Amino acid sequence: MRKNKFYSDFTEAKLKMAKRRMEAEMNGLDFNHPIRELFTFAWEDFKAGKFSYDGPTFVRSRFKSRWELASFIHDWRNAMGNVGYEIDNEFFSIMIALNYPIELFPKRYLLTRLTIFNVWRHKIKGTYNAKIHIKLYQL
């Protein structure tokens, strides 16, 4: 597992590469596709230091780097206190829309069955936010 890092912990070159890589995942999506909007909000919050990112948690990445769009948006939602099965469904909807390899789904699905523990963790810490501020993407 990688260490969580904030935007300010990365070099400018790494950040440009990261943004390009995640934008490249959206090639083929319409210009006004909801995933593009989610990425814009998540990237702006990342730049503002509102959350840190470590890449896919407990599973292998779609790529050899930490920068994977579905995980980035899922981690952003989590950092904003938006956790739960609706958020997990959005995660899988994004993976499907972006044609993630099918072999990445089973382990991620099993891990999301433990979401209730993350919900309780956020509730105990006082960071749970039931109000989802940006509309969920669902297929």
Side-chain angles (χ1 to χ4, degrees):
M1 219 165 83
R2 297 178 182 106
K3 180 181 182 272
N4 277 343
K5 290 185 176 184
F6 286 91
Y7 185 90
S8 61
D9 295 327
F10 293 98
T11 65
E12 193 62 36
K14 268 285 196 222
L15 292 165
K16 283 182 182 178
M17 179 277 305
K19 189 173 186 198
R20 274 195 316 268
R21 173 165 281 167
M22 290 189 287
E23 287 172 337
E25 284 192 69
M26 295 183 284
N27 285 345
L29 296 180
D30 292 338
F31 180 73
N32 61 350
H33 196 282
I35 293 174
R36 290 185 185 278
E37 182 180 27
L38 287 172
F39 173 68
T40 299
F41 283 115
W43 188 258
E44 289 304 313
D45 281 352
F46 184 58
K47 278 177 68 172
K50 293 182 181 179
F51 77 101
S52 59
Y53 179 66
D54 65 350
T57 308
F58 304 119
V59 294
R60 81 176 174 88
S61 177
R62 178 181 189 182
F63 307 107
K64 290 184 180 178
S65 83
R66 78 176 69 215
W67 304 103
E68 177 188 287
L69 187 56
S71 294
F72 185 75
I73 291 172
H74 193 255
D75 279 13
W76 165 66
R77 292 277 199 192
N78 184 64
M80 299 300 113
N82 299 139
V83 293
Y85 293 114
E86 289 178 310
I87 301 299
D88 293 342
N89 287 336
E90 176 184 67
F91 177 55
F92 289 111
S93 292
I94 292 169
M95 288 176 61
I96 291 166
L98 299 178
N99 297 312
Y100 277 53
I102 195 71
E103 61 268 10
L104 295 181
F105 284 74
K107 189 169 184 183
R108 292 174 185 212
Y109 176 79
L110 291 173
L111 288 169
T112 60
R113 300 306 86 198
L114 303 173
T115 290
I116 191 64
F117 295 110
N118 195 24
V119 171
W120 283 108
R121 181 178 71 88
H122 275 277
K123 285 183 177 184
I124 290 167
K125 288 173 50 180
T127 57
Y128 180 72
N129 184 1
K131 185 176 187 281
I132 297 171
H133 65 294
I134 307 295
K135 187 177 179 206
L136 287 168
Y137 172 69
Q138 301 292 326
L139 286 176

